[in-house]
Amino acid sequence: PTCREALKQARGFCDGGLPWLILSGPAGTGKTHLVRGIAMRLIKEGWVAKYWSSLHFTTLLHSTQAQGSTVNLMDVIEQNANEELLILDDWGVETLSPWVISQYEGLLDRRWDSLMPTIIATNLPASEVRGISHRIHSRMNDVSMSVWVDMMGAKDYRQVMRRSQEF
């Protein structure tokens, strides 16, 4: 699908479609722009949205394990499991240890079980998500709960703009 298909699915998500939206595509295809647009629209409608760069969320998870940390792992999971809308951007770009994967699985399982609206944007194709976690991949692919928009064929707009400026 093209970026137009991603926009169509984003509008459907905002209009009360399936509770999970997965955007998968290379860097520069507009995934972050689109998820932030969704968040802005829903916030204007009274929603509460929590946006995380996956790298920052993973860093937060690790910080709960540091000696003397005042950040409690269960509090982090609980808070994010109960957010009205949770957005995880750039999921999977960082190195995910088995411990971190299990934390994501726990968080996403709770959101799944509660039918909580969740958006995941990733640079990974479906096959690589499956390699990280079959459990998360299975939930992302459940057509009764989520829409997976595969933008792997889309072009990096930064490269397209740069080439157009060279002439």
Side-chain angles (χ1 to χ4, degrees), residues 87-125:
I87 299 170
L88 296 173
D89 195 12
D90 284 335
W91 188 81
V93 297
E94 69 283 4
T95 302
L96 297 170
S97 68
W99 180 82
V100 169
I101 292 168
S102 72
Q103 302 316 308
Y104 274 108
E105 287 175 341
L107 169 63
L108 294 173
D109 279 350
R110 295 222 13 229
R111 294 191 64 78
W112 186 263
D113 291 342
S114 300
L115 306 175
M116 299 294 288
T118 304
I119 301 172
I120 300 171
T122 182
N123 296 94
L124 302 175

